[in-house]
Each structure stands twice: as structure tokens, then as C-alpha cells.
Amino acid sequence: MNREPPRNTGSGGPRTEAEQLRARLAELTADLQRVKAEYDNYRKRVRRDRLAVREIAVVNVLTGLLPVLDAADEAQARGDGDPGTEAVARVLGNRLAALGLQSVGEPGEPFDPTAHEALTYTPSDAVTRPVCTSVLRHGYRVGDRLLRPAQVSVTGPPAGHEATGAAV
């Protein structure tokens, strides 16, 4: 039995070789575009994951060094005056700032419960909203991530003034 390939009759019959090649080319092009899109998404995901791992590593190192910063701040507050200690504290502060460490909590800042931990509260008619009056221990953040809230003393309006909206 010798079979001849079906001939193109024009309407709904088998496609010509050129049409078959165009269809195959379109199919392979679509496959290639899908694979390229998947690869691009993979590269973006890997880059994002690497940045996340780096950020976590930096946060872990900086969190571990916070007690060292506290000790340096305490030594400076006591006024030990040792030039070596001051130089080490200054270099350490500069290097940690280069890694993105930012201090949180300054006297005069409005009290922010997401960044400050109030250890004392002093009512005063001289203020209309809670304000940090002194910083007992600095807090720190890296980017948007708070590593430790600042421990502060807060001065604010007496009870009832803020809730009623009374201006002082």
C-alpha cells in the first residue's frame, strides 16, 4: 500500500509545508518567550532573596553590637575622658552608621509609641502633646526595621486634656 500525502484542497484541507513551518515557528517563539519570562522572574526573585538575606545578616550583627554601643555611650556620659575609648566609640559609631544603623530618640521629639518606650510620664500644662524630654537609652533602626525602641522620659498634657482636645 503506497499512500500519498494528502493534497491541499484550499478550504479546510491539510496545510502546506510553509504554513506548518510558520505555525511551528510561532509555537517555538511562544515557548521561548515563556522561558525567558520565567528566567527573568527567577533572577528577580534571587536578587530579592539575596538582599533579604543580607539585610537579616546586617540586622543580626548590629543587634549583637548594641550592648557595645550602650557601654560606649555610658563611658562618654560618665566623662571618663580616655582618648582611646572615645576614638574606638567614634570609629564604631561611624562604621555602624555606614551599615545603615540610625539612632532613635532625641529630647524634644514628639513621643511615638512605635519607636519609643516611655519609662516615666510627667504631666505638664506647658505642652499640648506628649514629648520626649530625656533619653535614658537610645533606640536603633536599620531602614524601616526597628531594632530596639528608645527608652525615654515623656512630658505630656495632664490626663483629660489630650482626650478632650483642649489646647493648652
Side-chain angles (χ1 to χ4, degrees):
M1 262 190 171
N2 189 3
R3 289 183 126 197
E4 288 185 26
R7 294 190 181 161
N8 186 6
T9 59
S11 61
R15 295 188 288 184
T16 65
E17 185 177 344
E19 290 172 334
Q20 290 174 349
L21 288 175
R22 278 199 259 332
R24 182 70 177 142
L25 177 62
E27 180 184 326
L28 291 174
T29 301
D31 287 347
L32 179 62
Q33 289 172 340
R34 268 192 301 280
V35 169
K36 183 184 180 309
E38 287 175 7
Y39 179 68
D40 289 343
N41 289 337
Y42 167 77
R43 281 188 14 225
K44 290 175 187 174
R45 189 172 54 250
V46 166
R47 185 178 306 125
R48 189 175 52 241
D49 291 350
R50 282 184 184 155
L51 290 174
V53 167
R54 179 190 179 279
E55 183 179 318
I56 289 169
V58 167
V59 164
N60 287 339
V61 168
L62 293 177
T63 301
L65 290 174
L66 292 183
V68 177
L69 281 175
D70 291 340
D73 286 345
E74 187 178 323
Q76 286 178 332
R78 278 197 316 254
D80 290 345
D82 180 19
T85 302
E86 290 177 13
V88 168
R90 187 175 53 255
V91 170
L92 178 64
N94 291 340
R95 293 294 157 203
L96 295 179
L99 289 173
L101 187 70
Q102 300 169 337
S103 180
V104 174
E106 293 295 326
E109 277 184 353
F111 176 72
D112 178 2
T114 63
H116 303 117
E117 179 182 355
L119 297 184
T120 64
Y121 186 87
T122 306
S124 170
D125 290 329
V127 295
T128 58
R129 61 184 174 156
V131 175
C132 300
T133 50
S134 65
V135 177
L136 306 172
R137 185 178 79 173
H138 282 281
Y140 295 97
R141 76 172 56 248
V142 175
D144 292 336
R145 180 180 281 187
L146 184 68
L147 302 181
R148 179 178 80 190
Q151 293 181 338
V152 296
S153 293
V154 177
T155 298
H161 283 229
E162 188 175 337
T164 61
V168 179

